Amino acid sequence: MTELNRKVALITGADRGIGFETAKELGAQGYTVLIGSRNVARGQNAVDKLKAMDITADTLQIDVTQRYTIQNAADQINKMYHKLDVLINNAGIAMADDALPSTVSEEVLRKTFDTNFFGSFIVTQIMLPLIKKSDAGRIVSLSSSVGSLEWQSHPMEGAPINPAYAASKNGVNALTVMFARELADTDIKVNAADPGWTATDLNGFNAPRTVAEGAKIVIKLATLPADGPSGQLISESGKVAW
């Protein structure tokens, strides 16, 4: 694959966890992977690891809560690559003191939405002109089954509510549907990925699934064929009810 026709993928929050694993897997498939990271040193460290695997990679400083960093990154992508084939909205947070809607603070709710919901929205909106330059753009936003109102209505026994995190991911799901509807007449596919309960620093590595397992559905949605779905929340087991 030549540099001219190599596909370019941007993954936010990709210096570790599912984001880094996704970058590694896409890079192994021949993509140029761009590591979006708030911390320049961590981003560069991730790039160095990828390059040691013979993966073409670069880092971009992106704080999804700071619009100017997203715009600066888009300008750099446009200058260097002139397009973006895959956008993966991976950056996200889960905060302590997010247990019950009756006790969660407004501060926790706002901060969680600022990263998970508004961050995903602003990155998608700013990167969309570059994605439209791709022959077949793919937008994947990391979500969760806990953001499903169906799941919240029929949860597993003993499952926490986590209102800030769950509501923010429900918002991500809504944006997924709306962007997919707007782009229905294009070759762009827009989906939300449910990686399952995966061991990352988001949950203190207290989960049964590995990042390799969690990244599988992300990779699948990032590389969908032309007849693939759009506007859905999807796990390894298939479509998840809203």
Side-chain angles (χ1 to χ4, degrees), residues 36 40 59 72 77-78 92 113 120 126 164 178 180 199 203:
V40 174
T59 185
N72 286 346
I77 295 170
N78 187 45
F113 263 77
S120 178
I126 288 178
M178 294 171 192
N203 52 40

Side-chain angles (χ1 to χ4, degrees), residues 185-208:
D185 293 331
T186 74
D187 293 325
I188 299 171
K189 306 287 185 184
V190 188
N191 289 290
D194 174 13
W197 194 20
T198 303
T200 67
D201 58 354
L202 198 72
N203 52 40
F205 300 96
N206 181 30

Side-chain angles (χ1 to χ4, degrees), residues 101-229:
S102 61
T103 58
V104 67
S105 70
E106 180 182 342
E107 180 184 6
V108 167
L109 197 65
R110 287 183 182 276
K111 189 170 183 179
T112 304
F113 263 77
D114 200 26
T115 297
N116 296 356
F117 176 79
F118 286 103
S120 178
F121 164 68
I122 296 168
V123 171
T124 302
Q125 192 177 69
I126 288 178
M127 296 296 168
L128 189 54
L130 288 166
I131 297 168
K132 288 180 176 179
K133 294 181 180 181
S134 170
D135 292 335
R138 301 288 180 263
I139 300 172
V140 184
S141 295
L142 271 287
S143 187
S144 171
S145 58
V146 303
S148 160
L149 297 181
E150 174 65 22
W151 188 93
Q152 284 287 341
S153 299
H154 304 89
M156 294 183 294
E157 184 177 354
I161 298 176
N162 300 129
Y165 182 79
S168 71
K169 291 303 185 181
N170 184 262
V172 168
N173 295 344
L175 286 177
T176 296
V177 173
M178 294 171 192
F179 272 113
R181 180 182 173 190
E182 178 183 351
L183 298 167
D185 293 331
T186 74
D187 293 325
I188 299 171
K189 306 287 185 184
V190 188
N191 289 290
D194 174 13
W197 194 20
T198 303
T200 67
D201 58 354
L202 198 72
N203 52 40
F205 300 96
N206 181 30
R209 288 170 62 80
T210 67
V211 289
E213 291 171 324
K216 284 182 180 179
I217 186 60
V218 184
I219 300 298
K220 180 178 179 179
L221 296 178
T223 58
L224 281 175
D227 61 350

Side-chain angles (χ1 to χ4, degrees), residues 38 62-67 69-70 111 114-115 119 122:
R38 288 185 302 170
I62 296 179
D63 180 341
V64 299
T65 67
Q66 299 292 328
R67 186 182 184 93
T69 68
I70 302 167
K111 189 170 183 179
D114 200 26
T115 297
I122 296 168

